[in-house]
């Protein structure tokens, strides 16, 4: 059995993401067949998906919602972190076999990642981290970059005769959430002050990356599509909330970031039983 990724062992980490869905059943089918999540439960208004025994994504049915505006504040992508490089190789083989449309594939030094978009325009990252002991840090900042992924190398990490892709494996987690924001410095200030996150990287003035416990980032905010964006329109589809788990919290709490995105914090032990 694989180990829980480092991203999920820090004092605070991402537990789940909630999406407001115009066509929840269609979206759930995409996350099952393309991404590889399991459907864990549904109550008519919500559908919960995840890896075995671990809820990661909640789809909230709202057929009347307006389409998300990619120029507004909201979700850039939800990043599903696989336990190993071989797991990422299995997913690539699945994508090749099923002719899944990919938006990009990158080597970020700390991780290797593929990108795609769901039918309602929500960004998705599927990635695997390199061992955190080997990440390079300087003055509290982690070295990251965007280079071409060695796809043959990742696929080559799958053992010969392997059983191939069987869906998201046990201990897959949401490693990070990347947000569209109106001002990365305002995003930094919010996450530094509200949750004690450290700023661990910046891409000029357009993006900031924050984390807990020395991870390369649990949260990022960028203005690549949304410079100067104001508060989000709650009648649109897309990001509904982000839920964090904390090993230090004794009770659940909620805050809103400067753009009206709801951030939930739950005690660590609550995550395993959430639905």
């Amino acid at each position: 059995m694989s180990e829980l990724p480092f991203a999920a062992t820090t004092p605070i980490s991402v537990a789940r993401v909630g999406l407001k869905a115009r066509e929840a059943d269609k979206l759930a089918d995409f996350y099952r067949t393309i991404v590889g999540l399991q459907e864990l439960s549904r109550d008519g208004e919500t559908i919960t998906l995840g890896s075995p025994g671990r809820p990661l994504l909640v789809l909230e049915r709202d057929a009347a919602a307006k389409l998300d505006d990619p120029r507004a504040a909201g979700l850039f992508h939800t990043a599903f972190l696989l336990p190993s490089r071989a797991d990422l190789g299995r997913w690539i083989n699945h994508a090749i076999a099923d002719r899944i449309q990919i938006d990009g594939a990158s080597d970020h030094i700390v991780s290797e990642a593929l990108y795609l978009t769901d039918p309602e325009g929500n960004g998705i990252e599927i990635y695997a981290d390199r061992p955190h002991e080997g990440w390079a840090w300087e003055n509290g900042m982690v070295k990251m970059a965007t280079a071409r992924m060695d796809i043959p190398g990742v696929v080559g990490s799958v053992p010969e005769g392997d059983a191939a892709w069987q869906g998201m494996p046990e201990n897959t987690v949401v490693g990070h959430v990347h947000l569209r924001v109106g001002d990365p410095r305002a995003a930094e200030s919010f996450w530094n002050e509200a949750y004690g996150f450290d700023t661990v990287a910046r891409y000029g003035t357009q993006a900031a990356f924050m984390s807990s416990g020395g991870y390369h980032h649990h949260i990022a905010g960028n203005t690549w599509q949304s410079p100067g964006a104001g508060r989000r329109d709650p009648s649109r589809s897309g990001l509904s909330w982000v839920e964090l788990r904390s090993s230090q919290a004794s009770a659940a709490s909620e805050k809103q970031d400067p753009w009206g995105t709801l951030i939930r914090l739950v005690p660590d032990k609550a995550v395993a039983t959430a639905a």
Side-chain angles (χ1 to χ4, degrees), residues 23-32 47 59 61 119-120:
E23 297 184 75
D25 292 311
K26 179 179 178 180
L27 212 54
D29 183 62
F30 176 90
Y31 280 96
R32 285 194 304 266
I47 304 172
L59 305 179
R61 201 182 302 273
E120 296 196 3

Side-chain angles (χ1 to χ4, degrees), residues 8-266:
T9 67
T10 55
I12 301 177
S13 62
V14 182
R16 305 184 298 170
V17 171
L19 299 179
K20 184 182 293 186
R22 289 157 52 94
E23 297 184 75
D25 292 311
K26 179 179 178 180
L27 212 54
D29 183 62
F30 176 90
Y31 280 96
R32 285 194 304 266
T33 61
I34 302 299
V35 177
L37 299 181
Q38 296 180 5
E39 182 173 320
L40 302 179
S41 66
R42 65 169 65 201
D43 65 8
E45 296 304 316
T46 63
I47 304 172
T48 299
L49 303 109
S51 56
R54 184 178 294 271
L56 303 176
L57 184 71
V58 180
L59 305 179
E60 301 176 343
R61 201 182 302 273
D62 188 348
K66 296 182 292 185
L67 277 173
D68 186 31
D69 179 357
R71 298 165 299 178
L75 181 68
F76 191 67
H77 60 238
T78 301
F80 297 100
L81 173 57
L82 296 165
S84 74
R85 194 180 197 224
D87 291 319
L88 186 61
R90 293 182 186 99
W91 192 90
I92 292 173
N93 285 333
H94 154 63
I96 293 169
D98 292 348
R99 298 184 178 181
I100 295 169
Q101 182 174 337
I102 301 298
D103 298 334
S106 297
D107 185 334
H108 296 302
I109 303 177
V110 295
S111 63
E112 295 170 292
L114 296 115
Y115 299 91
L116 58 159
T117 305
D118 78 19
E120 296 196 3
N122 300 295
I124 299 165
E125 177 178 338
I126 297 174
Y127 76 115
D129 279 334
R130 289 196 168 93
H132 68 275
E133 296 86 357
W135 300 346
W137 294 81
E138 184 176 352
N139 298 322
M141 298 289 183
V142 65
K143 183 178 180 181
M144 294 193 291
T146 300
R148 179 177 295 183
M149 180 195 285
D150 175 13
I151 291 178
V154 177
V155 170
S157 68
V158 179
E160 190 172 344
D162 187 77
W165 179 250
Q166 303 292 319
M168 288 287 180
E170 185 176 14
N171 287 334
T172 297
V173 300
V174 177
H176 66 268
V177 178
H178 200 141
L179 302 171
R180 304 188 309 253
V181 300
D183 178 357
R185 287 303 178 111
E188 271 190 70
S189 295
F190 171 78
W191 289 95
N192 295 163
E193 295 168 11
Y195 296 105
F197 277 21
D198 299 311
T199 299
V200 293
R202 296 187 185 99
Y203 285 5
T205 61
Q206 295 184 323
F209 300 77
M210 289 72 66
S211 77
S212 168
Y215 190 52
H216 58 69
H217 67 293
H218 290 105
I219 297 290
N222 76 66
T223 53
W224 297 327
Q225 296 173 307
S226 56
R231 289 182 68 83
R232 300 181 59 229
D233 179 353
S235 68
R236 291 191 180 275
S237 64
L239 184 63
S240 183
W241 44 264
V242 175
E243 184 178 89
L244 309 173
R245 53 145 291 277
S246 170
S247 61
Q248 301 165 339
S250 58
S253 62
E254 294 184 350
K255 298 179 187 291
Q256 286 189 354
D257 77 2
W259 300 275
T261 298
L262 180 64
I263 311 299
R264 299 173 174 172
L265 184 73
V266 298

